[in-house]
Amino acid sequence: MAGILVYAEVAEAGPAAIALELLSKARELGQVDAVALGPGAREAAVRLGAYGARRVFLNDDRAFAEYLAEPATDCLAALIQRESPDLILFGFTSDSREVAGRLGARLDVGVISNALDISSAGGGYTAQVPYFGGARVASYRANNHPAIVLVRPKSFEASESGGQAEMVEIEAAIAEGSRRSRISERHDEVSDQVKLEDARIVVAGGRGLGGPENFALVEGLASALGGAAGATRAIVDAGWVPYSFQIGQTGKTVRPGVYIAAGISGAMQHTVGMKGAKVIVAINKDAQAPILKLADLGVVGDVTKILPRLTEAVKAKRGA
Amino acid sequence: MKIAVTVKQVPDPNGTPGLDSDNTLMRDREVVLDPGDEYGIEEALQLKDKAGGEVLLVSMGPDKARDAIRKGLSMGADRGVLISDPQLAGADALLTAKALAAAIRAEAVDLVVCATESYDGSTGMVPPMLAELLGVPQLTFAKQVEVTGQRLTVHRQTEAGYQVLEAELPALITVTAGIAEPRYASLKGIMAARSKEVKVMSLAELAVEPGRPAESVESIEDAAARAAGEIVEDDGTSGVERIMAALTAAKVI
């Protein structure tokens, strides 16, 4: 029986969180296999099994980590021809989307991207996709075989199934001409702060802070709360903070217990990445700002005055 | 160096666009060149300034999309190609990529420059599909680009930092907003753009067959709204007090 194939991003440190999220959802929809390519694939296979992969197709050739998109596309195309899955799931991450797009064009099948959820009905698959900037949600029925769907990170909760995967070594099947876009260096901004996408509390800043010097107020509160600092695309584009802070459509998706929006108007581009937060607190001087419609608590006031006082109050309370 | 930049006309991010009854975006009002495309045009113009050559803008859309091309031409691009065909209404990413690929292939360019994704569609699928259809490598999320002879080096922004990518031309890059500050069109540029060529092409002229779209729309509903919260006006102390109470209730302090 044909089934679902999850493209599991792996690194030497283990499978990516999104791979486990996708497997957890996919096993509700049918029989699910995973494919893991590159260094760390073998080690990742055990965990992929524990999250629901029945089989893990793997190859740990270094070329998958050394060259962007093309080697993985070659290998996947060969695997799909043999296994003929009905549905292939990718994370909507910067690495997976490169592969998914090339694969769709190679197989001549369209791709449903940026999905928030997926369900099966009547022998097919339907994906929920933010539409019109996120104000609406469209249900798209996939027309092609295989259906290729990219799902935003943090759309599903990862949960263990306790299963054990059969490991299936596959051919790398990399064409000679596919070693082209070479990753010659990797620079990771190492930070001892809590990781933004895993933080229980996120304090994020936007243009309403007034200037880059005031981002320190956001970081100060985040640190007092033991959380992480984030930012809107507007201030990342303006160069106030690096892209690794960006939350939203083109940045990270977060689902913290508490999200504090400081000087953020609430453009859809941003809110699609944070509206899954449990409690949203917004501080904005504009009482009409769209973010206040999302917020559980909206404070209309001067963010540059409120943040320092709030940080002091948090420190006093936590110190007590 | 011959560079093609893909550009798209989108609803004005600062405007209030609507939806037509068939759930396609109303493109007849408040439409602009996708702000994300201005970075690609700027980067292409800077590469041309250094190495010489030509910057070609390629777009797909209704006749009105000429305005988006015209804006790029007034920034300094040399020519435009507009793929316009009634059969392209509601085109998915694959059909879009096929049409763009056909137009670009006819031009034999050294470099294709795209935004990482469009402002309105946000699928991010056209650039990798286009690279595959053109048979070129993709170097994506560029925040820095260097071309030395046939050698292309890109600093690729990642979730954790950046990578250095290298490849030989021809190639496709996608650029991030941080790459360069788009120039304003000068009056001279605006005047010059009026006489620059914009060639309009149909799908038949490009020999592209519309295939089956990736998806059929089953329904479109309003996104689940969060329950209305409480709004308080800060009077100097009330804001902090209310937030402290909310943080305490959420058990994070």
Side-chain angles (χ1 to χ4, degrees):
Chain A
M1 190 196 97
I4 304 166
L5 182 66
V6 168
Y7 177 73
E9 268 181 42
V10 297
E12 273 161 279
I18 176 73
L20 308 180
E21 293 164 20
L22 291 175
L23 284 169
S24 302
K25 178 66 185 188
R27 65 177 201 252
E28 292 173 15
L29 305 176
Q31 284 211 319
V32 50
D33 297 323
V35 53
L37 304 175
R42 196 174 313 277
E43 296 76 8
V46 175
R47 287 201 74 204
L48 296 172
Y51 282 81
R54 189 179 50 132
R55 294 178 292 175
V56 177
F57 302 106
L58 63 94
N59 186 296
D60 57 9
D61 195 313
R62 292 210 70 83
F64 293 115
E66 245 178 77
Y67 297 90
L68 203 70
E70 291 180 87
T73 306
D74 290 350
C75 184
L76 277 177
L79 178 66
I80 288 157
Q81 194 171 25
R82 207 180 65 220
E83 296 293 328
S84 191
D86 297 321
L87 169 67
I88 307 161
L89 289 176
F90 288 87
F92 189 60
T93 64
S94 51
D95 283 338
S96 287
R97 60 197 255 182
E98 316 266 15
V99 179
R102 277 200 99 105
L103 183 68
R106 175 93 50 104
L107 302 176
D108 198 26
V109 295
V111 170
I112 298 178
S113 181
N114 199 23
L116 301 167
D117 199 2
I118 182 155
S119 54
S120 61
Y125 297 97
T126 300
Q128 269 66 52
V129 178
Y131 192 73
F132 202 44
R136 301 192 187 181
V137 176
S139 292
Y140 287 153
R141 193 177 60 251
N143 287 333
N144 294 301
H145 191 278
I148 301 178
V149 179
L150 290 90
V151 183
R152 293 186 65 84
K154 302 263 172 176
S155 295
F156 312 125
E157 197 123 348
S159 64
E160 291 196 43
S161 66
Q164 220 176 351
E166 177 195 344
M167 296 197 201
V168 185
E169 291 273 353
I170 56 172
E171 289 284 316
I174 303 167
E176 208 28 69
S178 292
R179 296 167 199 261
R180 293 193 285 190
S181 184
R182 191 167 81 87
I183 304 170
S184 58
E185 294 171 35
R186 291 171 188 270
H187 301 264
D188 288 344
E189 285 151 15
V190 211
S191 158
D192 49 3
Q193 304 290 316
V194 187
K195 268 179 81 181
L196 179 54
E197 51 272 56
D198 300 333
R200 283 179 53 240
I201 305 167
V202 171
V203 185
R207 276 221 180 267
L209 288 169
E213 66 284 359
N214 287 335
F215 195 76
L217 303 176
V218 168
E219 290 180 306
L221 178 59
S223 140
L225 286 166
T232 62
R233 176 173 175 168
I235 72 167
V236 172
D237 286 358
W240 296 9
V241 291
Y243 174 74
S244 54
F245 285 75
Q246 188 168 317
I247 295 168
Q249 172 63 38
T250 44
K252 293 180 169 126
T253 302
V254 296
R255 280 180 180 270
V258 174
Y259 186 90
I260 302 177
I264 290 174
S265 66
M268 289 295 178
Q269 143 73 231
H270 180 71
T271 57
V272 71
M274 50 63 78
K275 65 184 178 188
K278 214 156 162 197
V279 176
I280 297 173
V281 176
I283 308 166
N284 205 293
K285 67 174 186 314
D286 176 9
Q288 302 306 316
I291 192 83
L292 296 177
K293 291 195 181 67
L294 280 183
D296 299 283
L297 172 63
V299 174
V300 180
D302 184 345
V303 71
T304 60
K305 295 205 170 80
I306 293 172
L307 285 180
R309 292 205 304 261
L310 183 56
T311 305
E312 282 317 306
V314 168
K315 280 183 183 163
K317 171 116 193 224
R318 293 196 111 195
Chain B
M1 184 162 56
K2 193 164 171 184
I3 307 170
V5 185
T6 59
V7 298
K8 185 179 185 184
Q9 192 173 54
V10 299
D12 187 347
N14 300 313
T16 50
L19 288 178
D20 274 326
S21 53
D22 64 351
N23 279 314
T24 54
L25 290 169
M26 286 183 183
R27 290 187 193 271
D28 58 339
R29 60 182 216 203
E30 298 185 73
V31 284
V32 295
L33 171 64
D34 191 324
D37 292 338
E38 293 185 25
Y39 299 99
I41 296 171
E42 178 60 39
E43 185 58 32
L45 292 173
Q46 290 187 14
L47 289 170
K48 181 192 158 183
D49 288 346
K50 280 185 214 130
E54 188 184 23
V55 174
L56 172 72
L57 305 180
V58 185
S59 189
M60 191 184 99
D63 197 57
K64 193 175 169 52
R66 277 170 194 272
D67 296 346
I69 293 179
R70 198 65 71 191
K71 172 150 190 209
L73 295 176
S74 63
M75 287 171 71
D78 298 289
R79 282 188 297 127
V81 175
L82 174 63
I83 306 159
S84 201
D85 197 305
Q87 292 187 85
L88 286 169
D92 70 355
L94 184 57
L95 179 55
T96 305
K98 283 180 181 176
L100 293 172
I104 291 168
R105 212 177 279 125
E107 296 282 347
V109 304
D110 302 295
L111 183 67
V112 180
V113 181
C114 307
T116 55
E117 60 201 28
S118 64
Y119 165 77
D120 58 346
S122 299
T123 69
M125 285 296 107
V126 169
M129 287 175 164
L130 187 53
E132 173 70 21
L133 295 169
L134 292 172
V136 299
Q138 75 215 53
L139 296 85
T140 48
F141 299 95
K143 53 177 199 167
Q144 190 184 309
V145 176
E146 238 180 74
V147 179
T148 315
Q150 288 298 298
R151 191 106 198 115
L152 174 65
T153 308
V154 158
H155 283 202
R156 176 182 190 247
Q157 185 175 274
T158 64
E159 278 93 352
Y162 74 98
Q163 301 166 345
V164 181
L165 301 183
E166 294 174 70
E168 299 284 320
L169 296 176
L172 176 144
I173 61 173
T174 70
V175 300
T176 63
I179 195 162
E181 194 53 43
R183 66 193 67 183
Y184 286 103
S186 64
L187 186 59
K188 200 172 137 217
I190 293 167
M191 298 301 286
R194 290 186 186 166
S195 55
K196 288 176 179 171
E197 181 199 9
V198 178
K199 187 168 156 191
V200 180
M201 301 189 81
S202 67
L203 278 189
E205 285 172 278
L206 292 167
V208 172
E209 288 279 338
R212 190 140 82 129
E215 70 262 346
S216 309
V217 178
E218 281 187 336
S219 65
I220 294 186
E221 285 161 26
D222 286 340
R226 292 178 67 104
E230 185 194 354
I231 310 266
V232 297
E233 190 90 31
D234 180 43
D235 64 7
T237 53
S238 60
V240 170
E241 278 167 16
R242 293 293 302 115
I243 296 172
M244 287 300 287
L247 294 178
T248 308
K251 298 192 171 69
V252 296
I253 50 172

